[in-house]
Amino acid sequence: MNGSTVTEFVFLDFSCTRPAQLFLLTVVLTCYITILLGNTLIMVIVSSEPRLFQCPMYLFLANLSLLDMTLGSVAAPKLVTDLLNGGSTISYGGCMAQIVVFHFSGTAEMFLLSVMAYDRYVAICHPLRYTTIINQQRCFSLLVLCWTGGLIHGVFQMVIMAQLPYCGANVLDNFFCDVPQLIKLACSGIYVAEILIVVNDAVIALPSFLMLLLSYAIILAMLCGRFGKGGRKALSTCSSHLMVVVLYYGPMFFVYLKPSSNTQVDKMASVMYMVVTPALNPLIYTLRNQDMKGAMRKLRQKFLASCLIRGNEISFS
Ligand SMILES: *[C@@H]1O[C@H](CO)[C@@H](O)[C@H](O)[C@H]1NC(C)=O
């Protein structure tokens, strides 16, 4: 913290009326509860069903759930208490922590979505070679790549931000510490930091996004021809993947890639990818997927059976 005098940052949350704030509070709270319960449920289902746990697609899905929980926890709990109290601050350390965790989970998730696209591409376009291409070991190394890639990116962003001096200005017109706004509060070295960040983002985000687009483009082109039972099932899996991709990338592109910014609208878009999308992922995957629904039914039966047995034990003793 060389030269820094700022020890905390002030958030200007949502400057709307109190009823509107309470409405937002309800939405965020509902989403956060869904994030925690829904994603935990997905991880429990996948790990309790051996048939799913051996299939790379579901291992990827369980990992995505874990990342969704991490991403969802960056801003939502604090936003809830801030909306309750009206107004808020965050410590310097808390701000840096938000940057690491947000960029780590966001990037790891972005990589993972690309890996999932590649996985579906191989499954649909090269079904006979699928088990040799996406074997246990490759699946594991792809996941390690996603997690470490995300971690490196997150730490890199944080190091850039932490070596900038902040000499007084400390008001962020946002509900979490977002790099583009934080950078403007620094009193020197802004230009170099901005270039580093753009280069870093371009190196990370562009290739993985292009791979994602390419995979789904090829899949869609392949599927257009065959609409038998197999084709339709593949299309329905892919459409839920695509829906998640759009929900995730759409608001992010909106916030980060357009030149001028209207902070109120940007804040709503940020709520979308920080809070709403991580809550929608589990719903999209479990409600639209027959295998997940089947596993959920089995789990419920097992659970009910164990309750009955326990009930009997209690009544016998
Ligand atoms: C993520 O994937 C790995 C397999 O490579 C698996 O062992 C692990 O359980 C997965 N994580 C979750 C939360 O399911």
Side-chain angles (χ1 to χ4, degrees):
M1 284 172 62
N2 47 340
S4 286
T5 54
V6 169
T7 56
E8 63 174 22
F9 295 96
V10 177
F11 289 152
L12 297 180
D13 284 338
F14 290 86
S15 52
C16 44
T17 58
R18 194 66 188 143
Q21 277 182 352
L22 291 180
F23 172 72
L24 191 62
L25 171 72
T26 320
V27 172
V28 174
L29 193 59
T30 313
C31 283
Y32 192 53
I33 293 171
T34 313
I35 289 174
L36 295 182
L37 292 184
N39 288 302
T40 309
L41 185 67
I42 287 190
M43 289 190 281
V44 169
I45 291 176
V46 171
S47 56
S48 71
E49 173 71 50
R51 202 164 54 84
L52 298 186
F53 197 68
Q54 273 151 19
C55 173
M57 183 169 100
Y58 292 102
L59 277 184
F60 293 145
L61 183 57
N63 275 261
L64 185 71
S65 286
L66 190 56
L67 288 172
D68 267 337
M69 276 169 89
T70 322
L71 180 63
S73 302
V74 172
K78 180 148 174 57
L79 183 56
V80 166
T81 53
D82 291 350
L83 284 167
L84 265 180
N85 303 333
S88 66
T89 60
I90 188 168
S91 67
Y92 181 89
C95 189
M96 294 301 147
Q98 276 194 337
I99 289 177
V100 179
V101 180
F102 170 52
H103 284 271
F104 154 66
S105 50
T107 312
E109 195 159 309
M110 196 156 75
F111 284 154
L112 189 52
L113 290 177
S114 307
V115 167
M116 288 168 86
Y118 173 69
D119 170 68
R120 287 303 86 199
Y121 157 74
V122 177
I124 290 168
C125 301
H126 305 282
L128 298 180
R129 281 162 46 209
Y130 180 75
T131 43
T132 48
I133 299 179
I134 313 267
N135 53 24
Q136 287 275 312
Q137 180 162 14
R138 178 123 349 121
C139 170
F140 185 72
S141 21
L142 282 172
L143 280 168
V144 170
L145 218 61
C146 292
W147 288 82
T148 44
L151 199 62
I152 292 172
H153 177 70
V155 170
F156 190 74
Q157 295 274 354
M158 193 272 281
V159 168
I160 296 177
M161 298 316 290
Q163 52 81 36
L164 285 176
Y166 302 92
C167 337
N170 70 342
V171 178
L172 286 164
D173 193 6
N174 209 336
F175 61 91
F176 70 103
C177 278
D178 202 12
V179 165
Q181 288 184 354
L182 191 62
I183 228 173
K184 295 205 170 66
L185 298 183
C187 38
S188 69
I190 298 179
Y191 187 62
V192 174
E194 262 175 350
I195 289 179
L196 282 177
I197 297 235
V198 168
V199 169
N200 191 15
D201 284 346
V203 167
I204 294 269
L206 218 55
S208 85
F209 186 62
L210 288 180
M211 176 175 140
L212 190 116
L213 280 188
L214 193 68
S215 299
Y216 284 123
I218 297 176
I219 289 173
L220 285 180
M222 290 274 301
L223 284 179
C224 283
R226 44 181 159 119
F227 267 89
K229 196 170 181 310
R232 207 169 308 141
K233 188 172 176 223
L235 193 64
S236 112
T237 321
C238 285
S239 64
S240 36
H241 283 212
L242 276 175
M243 216 184 309
V244 170
V245 169
V246 170
L247 278 171
Y248 182 74
Y249 275 99
M252 268 204 194
F253 277 2
F254 179 80
V255 172
Y256 294 113
L257 289 190
K258 73 184 160 39
S260 67
S261 64
N262 171 338
T263 49
Q264 283 302 319
V265 179
D266 280 358
K267 269 188 252 181
M268 290 316 294
S270 300
V271 169
M272 191 71 198
Y273 64 73
M274 296 292 273
V275 182
V276 181
T277 308
L280 289 181
N281 284 355
L283 294 182
I284 290 174
Y285 280 110
T286 43
L287 296 184
R288 297 184 43 120
N289 184 306
Q290 291 307 325
D291 291 337
M292 288 298 279
K293 276 198 251 180
M296 198 147 60
R297 260 195 303 278
K298 248 164 92 183
L299 192 69
R300 195 169 54 215
Q301 277 157 7
K302 225 190 293 180
F303 179 71
L304 285 180
S306 80
C307 283
L308 281 180
I309 292 168
R310 206 167 304 144
N312 284 341
E313 278 167 0
I314 291 171
S315 61
F316 282 139
S317 57

